[in-house]
Amino acid sequence: MSNPEPQTHDPEDRSFDYDVLDLFAGPGGLDVAAHFLGLTSVGIELDGNACETRYRAGLPTIHADVTVMRKERYDEVPHTRILAGGPPCQSFSIAGKGAGREALDTVTELIDELIEDPEGQLVDKKLKDLDARTGLVLEPLRYLLKAITSGRGPYQYIVLEQVPAVYAVWDAYARVLASGAIKRPRLDSSGRVQNEDVKYEVTCDVLRTEEYGVPQTRKRAVLIARLIDGEQHADKPLELPGPTHSRFVTVRPKAVGDDATLFPVESKKPEEEAKESWRSMHAALHAAKDELDASHDSIPRDSKFYVVSNYGSGGDPKKRGIRHWDQPSFTVTGKISRNRPMDVNGKPLPRFTIHEAGVLQSFPGDFPWSGKDQAQQVGNAVPPLFGMHALGAALGVTPSFPDELNLGWGGPVDALRSADLRLEGCPPERTCPTGHPYDQPAEGSSTASRPRTGASAKSPSK
């Protein structure tokens, strides 16, 4: 099976500018997922480096602060039927200082206050006492409320993801979305304004990415919601995506002496034969070899290897985790270059390249990473394969995946297309919120006017 061909937005549908609005869009994990589902998307992203990746990849982008767009420039926010996003997780992450975890109770209380006061002036005052990033987890709800108060009406679907610590916030979201506490004004038959309940079917839980074909162990708190209206999909109730692959479970053998850190973990065999086994680092890198070669960033990984993690088990840096080549990767972070690939004799191998790290996140091997801080871009992104499952579940469709779960992009789009997207995202009359690493695409870049699939890139005649 080849990669799905890209589909454009229905030109006869004038009610929406795009299908998906991706808040905190990063380099485009959810946008890539939307693309392979045949959906159009637009992202709002503050980081100029991530924007440069998006422009080179052909992804429509507004280079701006999500909060500023809601407060001051909402008329410029495209109208979409799907609201999606993964707010910054640093303050909630276990790896961070934990200011967000300490403020979880406060944040969940503010959700109820926003329902009572959609403009949220009192909420803004209370947020000043928290880490500036912590309040960003409320932005998806504030965009929903803004869509209603602006007269656009509520989003039909909502898809959110974050680190597991944010599950309590998503649970509070679910409560208010399903309760009917959110109101919208409607004219009744006599022409009088009446407040109508806005209610959603909602489900949320903590999911593991390796159970969805991503060659990496990573836990994510996911919420999906579907507006209850005249088309309630009564024949297919809203459910989180069911796992397609087995969970990765490890058993660490006993080790003694100085070699203790070099003992790789052993993985348990999948208990459920109905599911495919988790996807390994080697399987993913091997499947993406052609795309990695096309990116000029390919390193032979055919021999057996293992990877020593940058992080220590239980907080002890001397007890670093180890994964075999035929196992999923550790969680890909912005520090993946510190993970040490080794051969079976303990000899160091080349570190993972940016494109390889992207493949371990399930990005196409030829995705055009650009700008600075590319490792951080990769680590912060939503894994596209996982995003396809989440978006598909919200829409009630089962995604169609290419052979070997290998996505292909076709490299950077034409230089003119990239320049057009940059001009749209950063118009000259407006100063960009952060430095923007304008670069010049190399001569001979792709002449495609939009992202291409691996199938179309390899078979131009099709």
Side-chain angles (χ1 to χ4, degrees):
M1 180 178 67
S2 62
N3 289 4
E5 290 296 324
Q7 299 179 24
T8 58
H9 187 74
D10 182 357
E12 298 302 320
D13 186 354
R14 305 297 181 186
S15 58
F16 300 106
D17 301 311
Y18 295 88
D19 293 308
V20 182
L21 173 62
D22 185 3
L23 302 179
F24 313 101
L30 281 173
D31 300 76
V32 172
H35 169 73
F36 283 101
L37 287 173
L39 303 172
T40 60
S41 65
V42 60
I44 302 176
E45 174 55 42
L46 178 63
D47 178 53
N49 294 298
C51 286
E52 191 60 29
T53 292
R54 295 176 60 86
Y55 297 146
R56 293 290 300 281
L59 298 174
T61 307
I62 301 172
H63 183 198
D65 184 299
V66 164
T67 302
V68 171
M69 290 299 297
R70 172 180 56 80
K71 288 184 174 180
E72 304 174 12
R73 298 169 51 192
Y74 188 74
D75 60 324
E76 300 175 42
V77 176
H79 189 197
T80 67
R81 62 194 181 104
I82 304 170
L83 177 67
C89 69
Q90 288 89 342
S91 64
F92 293 98
S93 174
I94 293 176
K97 296 181 179 179
R101 296 197 304 277
E102 295 176 1
L104 278 174
D105 288 343
T106 301
V107 170
T108 53
E109 290 173 6
L110 294 181
I111 289 175
D112 291 314
E113 293 190 23
L114 279 174
I115 303 304
E116 296 296 325
D117 176 22
E119 293 300 321
Q121 294 180 354
L122 180 59
V123 169
D124 288 336
K125 291 181 180 179
K126 293 183 177 180
L127 286 175
K128 290 181 179 180
D129 296 329
L130 303 177
D131 182 293
R133 296 168 298 185
T134 301
L136 294 176
V137 77
L138 296 174
E139 283 298 331
L141 177 60
R142 301 187 83 160
Y143 264 72
L144 168 61
L145 297 174
K146 188 74 172 185
I148 294 172
T149 58
S150 70
R152 291 185 180 182
Y155 293 96
Q156 296 177 3
Y157 305 93
I158 300 173
V159 178
L160 306 174
E161 68 86 44
Q162 247 279 14
V163 294
V166 182
Y167 175 77
V169 179
W170 293 165
D171 191 49
Y173 263 56
R175 174 174 50 79
V176 298
L177 291 174
S179 68
I182 299 174
K183 308 293 182 181
R184 63 173 163 179
R186 280 286 183 90
L187 293 178
D188 62 18
S189 57
S190 63
R192 290 178 298 182
V193 176
Q194 299 288 341
N195 282 330
E196 179 181 85
D197 293 352
V198 175
K199 298 182 69 172
Y200 286 83
E201 295 177 79
V202 194
T203 182
C204 58
D205 205 347
V206 175
L207 306 180
R208 301 170 64 116
T209 60
E210 83 271 15
E211 294 188 90
Y212 298 90
V214 179
Q216 168 196 177
T217 54
R218 190 185 195 104
K219 295 180 180 179
R220 306 303 290 177
V222 175
L223 176 146
I224 61 174
R226 183 167 60 199
L227 182 67
I228 297 176
D229 55 17
E231 300 177 4
Q232 298 184 29
H233 305 272
D235 58 328
K236 192 170 186 180
L238 183 70
E239 296 178 338
L240 287 166
T244 55
H245 292 66
S246 297
R247 178 173 297 189
F248 180 72
V249 182
T250 62
V251 177
R252 183 177 294 280
K254 293 182 179 180
V256 295
D258 295 336
D259 293 333
T261 59
L262 297 182
F263 275 70
V265 297
E266 297 177 350
S267 55
K268 291 183 179 180
K269 293 182 178 180
E271 297 179 359
E272 300 180 47
E273 299 297 331
K275 298 176 186 175
E276 293 188 48
S277 177
W278 30 256
R279 192 164 172 241
S280 70
M281 291 182 280
H282 174 260
L285 295 172
H286 179 75
K289 185 178 185 305
D290 289 346
E291 287 75 23
L292 289 169
D293 286 342
S295 73
H296 307 289
D297 199 8
S298 180
I299 295 176
R301 300 281 186 191
D302 295 329
S303 300
K304 293 182 179 180
F305 63 87
Y306 61 91
V307 180
V308 182
S309 172
N310 175 56
Y311 296 100
S313 300
D316 185 350
K318 296 180 180 180
K319 298 180 180 179
R320 300 187 185 277
I322 294 176
R323 293 279 173 90
H324 276 172
W325 72 326
D326 59 353
Q327 297 173 337
S329 166
F330 296 105
T331 298
V332 174
T333 71
K335 296 181 174 62
I336 188 172
S337 63
R338 298 184 185 180
N339 288 352
R340 294 180 288 133
M342 316 280 279
D343 67 16
V344 293
N345 297 313
K347 181 180 178 180
L349 297 172
R351 303 292 174 101
F352 288 126
T353 67
I354 293 299
H355 286 82
E356 286 181 319
V359 168
L360 298 180
Q361 275 275 55
S362 76
F363 274 87
D366 54 358
F367 194 70
W369 301 99
S370 303
K372 300 178 182 179
D373 297 327
Q374 293 179 16
Q376 198 64 49
Q377 291 183 46
V378 176
N380 288 346
V382 177
L385 279 179
F386 185 67
M388 289 175 67
H389 282 281
L391 284 170
L395 296 171
V397 301
T398 301
S400 177
F401 296 98
D403 294 334
E404 299 182 285
L405 300 183
N406 181 47
L407 305 177
W409 199 251
V413 297
D414 179 79
L416 291 177
R417 172 62 173 158
S418 180
D420 286 344
L421 288 170
R422 190 183 292 114
L423 187 61
E424 293 171 7
C426 296
E429 66 271 15
R430 185 178 302 113
T431 303
C432 288
T434 61
H436 204 307
Y438 290 144
D439 66 345
Q440 300 299 320
E443 293 183 4
S445 63
S446 165
T447 57
S449 61
R450 58 175 284 115
R452 298 174 295 150
T453 65
S456 61
K458 296 175 187 175
S459 306
S461 61
K462 291 185 179 180

